[in-house]
Amino acid sequence: MKGGAGWGFDVQEAWIDHASYINPSEIRFPKDYAEITGLAQAGQPIPTSWHGLYIGRAMLRLPEGIEAFDHAGRVTAIVDHLIYDGNGLSSEIKVANVLGPDKGNLDGWGFSMDTLQLDIIANSFSQAGFKGRIHLPISDTLLVYSA
């Protein structure tokens, strides 16, 4: 793949669907995918005539030059329910252990970023968020945050 040197992609489940009479039995379309893409009305199933690539789960490894602050090794992301079809890319992407406990610094307050989540439907972000823990200077207990 041009420009893809150093990236790693470990696919655990994948289907290329060109059949017009059945969809892969394991396929899971994102919430609101049918309405957003115009394939079906709200609450109706996706037609069996759907065609495209479906990857149930994959592990994405970033190139070696992109590293986490607190641990050696390549940064990885879990890619679930990746769909590539005539409507573009749809997927749930989750990066875990982005920043370990107290490795981040918010003006003297230690924090972690445990998870970064991106949900994409038809080439558009539908949802994004992150969660972790923050260490207040007045307490030894880490407080959980999410946004």
Side-chain angles (χ1 to χ4, degrees):
M1 184 167 83
K2 187 175 181 179
W7 290 83
F9 203 66
D10 179 19
V11 176
Q12 296 170 5
E13 304 169 8
W15 292 267
I16 297 176
D17 182 5
H18 288 287
S20 59
Y21 61 92
I22 193 168
N23 289 333
S25 61
E26 303 294 323
I27 197 165
R28 190 176 120 210
F29 291 96
K31 183 180 183 295
D32 301 327
Y33 177 84
E35 301 92 280
I36 290 170
T37 60
L39 290 176
Q41 298 295 321
Q44 298 296 313
I46 302 290
T48 57
S49 60
W50 176 85
H51 295 136
L53 170 69
Y54 174 72
I55 297 176
R57 174 162 270 209
M59 185 72 70
L60 175 66
R61 290 180 306 282
L62 278 59
E64 289 185 9
I66 302 172
E67 299 174 355
F69 292 115
D70 62 338
H71 63 278
R74 295 168 73 175
V75 175
T76 60
I78 297 170
V79 180
D80 284 327
H81 311 294
L82 185 141
I83 295 170
Y84 186 75
D85 60 12
N87 296 300
L89 178 74
S90 300
S91 186
E92 299 169 2
I93 301 169
K94 184 182 288 186
V95 182
N97 301 319
V98 179
L99 206 54
D102 286 336
K103 296 298 180 183
N105 184 345
L106 290 171
D107 199 25
W109 295 16
F111 77 97
S112 71
M113 185 181 298
D114 301 333
T115 307
L116 174 65
Q117 171 103 23
L118 301 170
D119 293 345
I120 302 166
I121 299 178
N123 288 340
S124 296
F125 288 110
S126 68
Q127 181 173 292
F130 54 92
K131 58 184 166 179
R133 294 164 284 169
I134 190 162
H135 189 187
L136 301 176
I138 59 171
S139 173
D140 290 334
T141 303
L142 296 172
L143 300 174
V144 176
Y145 72 86
S146 64

